[in-house]
Structures are given as structure tokens and as C-alpha cells.
Amino acid sequence: MMRILVRPVLLVVITLALSFATGCSGLSGDPYEQANDYVVEANETIQEHNRLFEEARGTYEEARAAVESGGSSSDDDTIQEEDIEEIAQARETMQEARDTLDGAREPLSEIQDLNVEEEITQYAVLLAEGVDAQIAAENREITFYETLEQDLTLEDNREDTEEILTEIGDGYKEAQNSYDRARELAEANPNLLGEES
């Protein structure tokens, strides 16, 4: 009988985060049930990451809009202080999101160690590569927020910041490429990597 691993459904959130749909899991020693358990664990971690990531991006967008519009108060010092606080909050939330996403590495690694078909192992490898690239990009995004906290208008750090933004974009593209390759592998092997509806 062909064993089907319920594969996560990849959903890009704000061009880089992924979201898994949870699969059925079992408690026995069967490697396919273990793989499903690891997928469920990764799903929960990634769903929390996505929530935090969206929160961080939302906070940043609010601060950016306030800076670009000149703020709602006539006191420039107050505006700048409030904007810096929002950027700091975005950074802290992004750090929490990155740390949460790091928790998906272990279950994806555990899948790679199971005695399952090569396609399932390769699928987990591609997802892990995507997570690694995404974590690296989020690290650079945190650096961007730190720069903004010190120089809100980027008067003194424009070139460095443009380089950081390029690195962030490249990192998210690398992550997306890995996620796309994992999805293509799953679509090419529907009998092994069944998608939960």
C-alpha cells in the first residue's frame, strides 16, 4: 500500500513567509506517521511566525507612513520619538518572528532522518533550505530596523541601507525559490506528498 505524507500547503505571506496546513498525526513508530507529526509541529511554529511577521511589517508600515507624512503632531521631536519607538517595536517583533521560525528547523531535520522515500526527504530538505534563507533575510531586516532607530531619515546611512535592502530582497527570493521547488516536487509526487484540503 502506498503511504501518503500529508504535505504542508505553501502560502506566501507578504512575499516571504510560508504557512502550512496541519496534517493528521499518529503516535506510533511508523516513519510516515512520525513525518506527519513533524509536519504538524513545523506547521504550528510557522503559523505563529507568520502572525508575528505580519505584526512586525504592519508596525513598520505605520511608522514609515508617519515619517513620510511628517506625522500628526506639530512637535517634530515627539513625532520622531514615537516613530523610533514604533520601529523598535517592529524590530522586537521581527526578532520574535525569526526566533519562532528557527523552531521549524528541528522538525524538518527530523523528517530528513526518517526511513521514508527520497522524495519526502528531499521535500523536507528544500523546505529547510527555504527556512534558512528566510531566517537570514529576516536577520538583515532586523539590521535595517536597527539602522532606522539610529537614523530615522537615513540621511547618514543611505548607501549602507540600500545594500541591506538589496540583501533582504535577495534572501527572500532565495527562500521563495526553495519553497517553489518544494511545491514542484510535491506536485510531481502526489502519491507520496498528498496535500491536505
Side-chain angles (χ1 to χ4, degrees):
M1 178 171 90
M2 181 65 71
R3 304 299 290 228
I4 298 176
L5 173 66
V6 178
R7 71 178 172 95
V9 177
L10 295 177
L11 174 66
V12 178
V13 177
I14 313 177
T15 73
L16 62 119
L18 66 158
S19 173
F20 289 126
T22 58
C24 299
S25 62
L27 298 174
S28 76
D30 179 280
Y32 296 92
E33 290 177 359
Q34 290 175 349
N36 278 328
D37 287 343
Y38 291 131
V39 168
V40 169
E41 185 179 340
N43 288 344
E44 292 168 356
T45 300
I46 290 169
Q47 286 172 356
E48 177 63 9
H49 162 267
N50 290 347
R51 184 189 69 74
L52 292 166
F53 180 86
E54 289 183 54
E55 182 181 325
R57 281 289 180 90
T59 302
Y60 165 72
E61 287 300 324
E62 289 174 15
R64 184 185 60 77
V67 170
E68 289 177 353
S69 70
S72 58
S73 171
S74 59
D75 183 355
D76 287 342
D77 290 338
T78 302
I79 294 167
Q80 192 169 32
E81 185 177 312
E82 290 172 359
D83 296 336
I84 290 171
E85 287 175 10
E86 280 193 311
I87 295 295
Q89 181 60 48
R91 176 187 45 79
E92 290 169 7
T93 306
M94 184 61 75
Q95 287 170 329
E96 189 177 350
R98 178 212 49 210
D99 293 346
T100 301
L101 184 59
D102 189 53
R105 286 176 167 168
E106 184 176 345
L108 292 173
S109 174
E110 294 291 340
I111 292 170
Q112 296 170 45
D113 294 335
L114 294 173
N115 184 22
V116 293
E117 279 82 354
E118 178 61 29
E119 292 85 357
I120 294 173
T121 302
Q122 184 59 31
Y123 183 68
V125 166
L126 289 169
L127 289 175
E129 287 174 0
V131 166
D132 288 343
Q134 187 163 334
I135 288 171
E138 289 179 11
N139 282 333
R140 295 306 286 158
E141 189 161 340
I142 290 165
T143 300
F144 169 68
Y145 294 150
E146 290 169 346
T147 302
L148 283 177
E149 287 178 70
Q150 301 302 315
D151 181 13
L152 195 58
T153 60
L154 299 174
E155 289 177 16
D156 300 327
N157 295 296
R158 186 145 316 266
E159 282 186 31
D160 290 342
T161 303
E162 287 176 0
E163 184 177 326
I164 290 170
L165 290 173
T166 298
E167 291 170 1
I168 291 169
D170 290 347
Y172 288 147
K173 284 178 189 173
E174 181 182 343
Q176 185 61 55
N177 184 34
S178 292
Y179 301 148
D180 288 346
R181 288 174 30 224
R183 186 179 57 247
E184 289 167 7
L185 178 65
E187 289 170 354
N189 294 280
N191 292 333
L192 290 177
L193 298 162
E195 182 175 335
E196 182 177 33
S197 50

